[in-house]
Amino acid sequence: MKDAISVEQSRAARGLLNWSRDDLAAASGVPKRTIADFELATTAPRSRTLQAIRTAFEAAGVEFIPENGGGAGVRLRRTSA
């Protein structure tokens, strides 16, 4: 499923962007408590919640790297010079 992102990807993406959970909540429209519960692996969010988080990260320039034997990951989108 395209919208599935892992806890590790969410944390890493926030780190790349230097975003707090408050920043992600503002960008995605997802409550901060829901983001915290997801990143602490205490709940499994609904598909639409994960999609909102992913969309916010992608709009900010994060690319999600699919599982390729070495694990899924994230990186910042390259900008053309």
Side-chain angles (χ1 to χ4, degrees):
M1 151 172 49
K2 179 194 180 291
D3 59 359
I5 64 171
S6 70
V7 169
E8 295 81 9
Q9 285 176 306
S10 181
R11 289 184 195 147
R14 282 195 311 105
L16 285 172
L17 297 170
N18 197 27
W19 276 8
S20 66
R21 287 181 180 150
D22 286 323
D23 294 327
L24 178 54
S28 66
V30 173
K32 179 182 174 181
R33 179 80 249 158
T34 301
I35 293 166
D37 288 345
F38 167 56
E39 289 187 347
L40 295 170
T42 58
T43 62
R46 294 178 179 180
S47 178
R48 68 175 172 233
T49 300
L50 291 176
Q51 186 58 53
I53 292 170
R54 182 184 182 115
T55 298
F57 282 139
E58 289 175 337
V62 172
E63 291 182 337
F64 288 86
I65 304 165
E67 176 79 35
N68 64 0
V74 295
R75 64 180 172 216
L76 289 177
R77 183 173 43 243
R78 290 185 183 170
T79 57
S80 42

